[in-house]
Amino acid sequence: MKKVLVGMSGGVDSAVTAYLLKKEGYEVCGVTLRTWAPDDGTDGRCCEIDDARRVSEALGIRFYPLNCVSDFARTVVDPFVRSYLSGQTPNPCIECNRFLKWEKMLYAAKVMQADYIATGHYAHVVQLENGRYTVKKALYAAKDQTYMLYKLTQEQLAATLMPLGDYAKDQVRQIAQEASLPVAHKPDSQEICFVTDGHYADFIEEYTKKKNSAASGHSAADSLMQVPGSGNFVDENGNILGTHKGITHYTIGQRKGLGIAMGRPIYVKEIRALSNEVVLSDEPALFKNVVTVRDVNFLSIPGMAAGEQLRARAKVRYHHAAAPALLEMLDDGLLRITFDDPVRAAAPGQSSVFYDENDCVIGGGIIM
């Protein structure tokens, strides 16, 4: 009997994952990584320990909570805040998967002598003919989560099971109901776990205050950057159009909530952190054919040599439909993506993920 450690968030997806694996004959244990501790004393939506424990009791499996709060702050929240303060739009869930969830779960699996770890992601883990592991899109595109998994390593994927790749969400809920799991009708979380109300700018301001207060008396390196105040809205030629509330309030492509009247629809085209400026433009200026990414991680192939080209379909955000493009590796480790048709609002800090003709992830990188 193979032993598997299931990452349980307290939601229905991970609950059904544990149920299906137990039904298949695995020896299943549940683990919840406590990653975020809100000020009100509750658990974050990714680590609701009480619900995960109740599911484990219903399934008759062992359950272990692990405290990862400090590691989560260091590897996920701090980089998220720094990225926003530098005018970028980060993907904290991608970083969490690679540098926290999988690392901690694999460590726990080794301690518990488990053969695999498993998650409730809607995706398939596949091993290709070349021997490499990658993730393949879920059968039902509406729930596909491969975009969030492109940074995983070969070692991590080789030890991972994802049983939900062939299921739709309503099927998962039906399974949970038939199995009498207590979270069968629990609503899905719509926001990142540490900003539950979606107000990123407010969170960043409060977090930096606490971080800087805690670092008082230590070296400057222990302190985060200060949140920049108001600055200028400018057009593409640098002409001042008005005053903005602070760069953390805006993202590329944003139209609503700008607080400026131009007599026509106007959008955020660029965020210039060094000059504390937000560039506004008409919508056509948001489109471009060429996107460059850094920190490239390859899954289905070992890599690309400088000058090598490859056809693919690439996303520039989670909900973007993958579009035909040409990948070209540059000699400085960056990768250039040239889309057949212009893509809208490719935001620095977001990830571009590229797929092959079989819906397998080739790799991905962070947009510059």
Side-chain angles (χ1 to χ4, degrees):
M1 180 184 296
K2 294 288 188 178
K3 186 175 182 179
V4 59
L5 190 65
V6 178
M8 303 186 71
S9 65
V12 66
D13 296 331
S14 56
V16 170
T17 294
Y19 169 79
L20 291 174
L21 290 171
K22 184 180 180 183
K23 192 175 179 181
E24 288 182 28
Y26 287 92
E27 178 188 349
V28 178
C29 297
V31 62
T32 298
L33 307 180
R34 189 167 191 260
T35 56
W36 186 246
D39 291 337
D40 60 8
T42 61
D43 288 318
R45 285 303 304 267
C46 285
C47 51
E48 293 178 319
I49 294 173
D50 288 343
D51 282 345
R53 181 180 285 111
R54 289 196 299 130
V55 169
S56 298
E57 290 172 353
L59 291 173
I61 64 175
R62 287 179 290 168
F63 173 72
Y64 305 92
L66 299 178
N67 186 0
C68 305
V69 172
S70 61
D71 288 330
F72 182 76
R74 176 177 53 82
T75 61
V76 180
V77 185
D78 284 358
F80 168 85
V81 171
R82 290 193 180 98
S83 184
Y84 252 102
L85 294 177
S86 66
Q88 299 185 354
T89 307
N91 286 114
C93 294
I94 292 175
E95 304 303 315
C96 182
N97 286 336
R98 166 63 180 87
F99 296 107
L100 187 95
K101 287 183 179 178
W102 260 257
E103 289 292 319
K104 294 296 184 182
M105 287 182 62
L106 285 171
Y107 173 79
K110 183 178 180 180
V111 171
M112 299 177 191
Q113 297 183 315
D115 300 282
Y116 300 102
I117 63 171
T119 71
H121 286 91
Y122 288 84
H124 299 95
V125 177
V126 294
Q127 187 175 21
L128 304 175
E129 291 183 0
N130 64 4
R132 291 186 64 83
Y133 289 88
T134 186
V135 285
K136 183 177 180 178
K137 282 187 177 181
L139 181 62
Y140 296 91
K143 290 299 295 181
D144 175 62
Q145 293 176 301
T146 51
Y147 177 89
M148 296 294 183
L149 303 169
Y150 82 87
K151 273 199 174 183
L152 298 182
T153 68
Q154 292 296 293
E155 293 74 20
Q156 289 171 335
L157 285 173
T160 300
L161 304 176
M162 294 181 187
L164 300 188
D166 287 329
Y167 292 90
K169 186 70 180 203
D170 57 351
Q171 292 175 309
V172 169
R173 290 199 181 278
Q174 182 66 28
I175 292 170
Q177 182 173 332
E178 293 173 354
S180 299
L181 298 180
V183 294
H185 302 290
K186 183 176 179 180
D188 290 340
S189 175
Q190 299 298 321
E191 300 290 346
I192 60 176
C193 65
F194 55 92
V195 191
T196 54
D197 60 4
H199 297 156
Y200 297 155
D202 293 342
F203 170 82
I204 290 168
E205 185 169 357
E206 289 300 314
Y207 188 81
T208 52
K209 284 180 180 177
K210 292 178 183 177
K211 190 80 175 181
N212 290 336
S213 176
S216 179
H218 296 77
S219 68
D222 293 328
S223 176
L224 288 175
M225 294 168 56
Q226 297 294 323
V227 177
S230 60
N232 290 327
F233 282 124
V234 298
D235 64 17
E236 296 171 86
N237 296 318
N239 300 309
I240 296 175
L241 303 175
T243 302
H244 66 68
K245 296 182 293 185
I247 62 172
T248 57
H249 291 266
Y250 309 97
T251 57
I252 305 301
Q254 180 178 338
R255 174 186 173 186
K256 296 181 179 180
L258 300 181
I260 183 171
M262 298 293 294
R264 67 184 192 281
I266 200 79
Y267 301 82
V268 175
K269 179 189 177 183
E270 182 184 353
I271 297 172
R272 297 173 177 170
L274 293 179
S275 59
N276 197 23
E277 293 175 324
V278 175
V279 181
L280 303 181
S281 71
D282 296 324
E283 188 171 23
L286 300 178
F287 288 84
K288 57 184 178 180
N289 286 86
V290 179
V291 173
T292 304
V293 297
R294 58 179 172 83
D295 300 337
V296 183
N297 186 60
F298 289 104
L299 291 184
S300 68
I301 60 176
M304 294 174 63
E308 184 178 352
Q309 296 182 339
L310 182 66
R311 291 291 300 178
R313 290 178 299 113
K315 289 186 172 191
V316 294
R317 68 185 67 85
Y318 179 60
H319 290 296
H320 177 224
L326 179 68
L327 312 180
E328 182 178 2
M329 201 71 194
L330 306 180
D331 58 10
D332 51 7
L334 304 178
L335 186 139
R336 182 166 58 214
I337 307 168
T338 304
F339 288 91
D340 293 1
D341 298 308
V343 293
R344 184 185 185 278
Q350 289 280 295
S351 289
S352 179
V353 179
F354 8 103
Y355 298 78
D356 65 19
E357 66 278 6
N358 298 315
D359 289 331
C360 291
V361 172
I362 298 171
I366 299 175
I367 297 172
M368 300 179 62

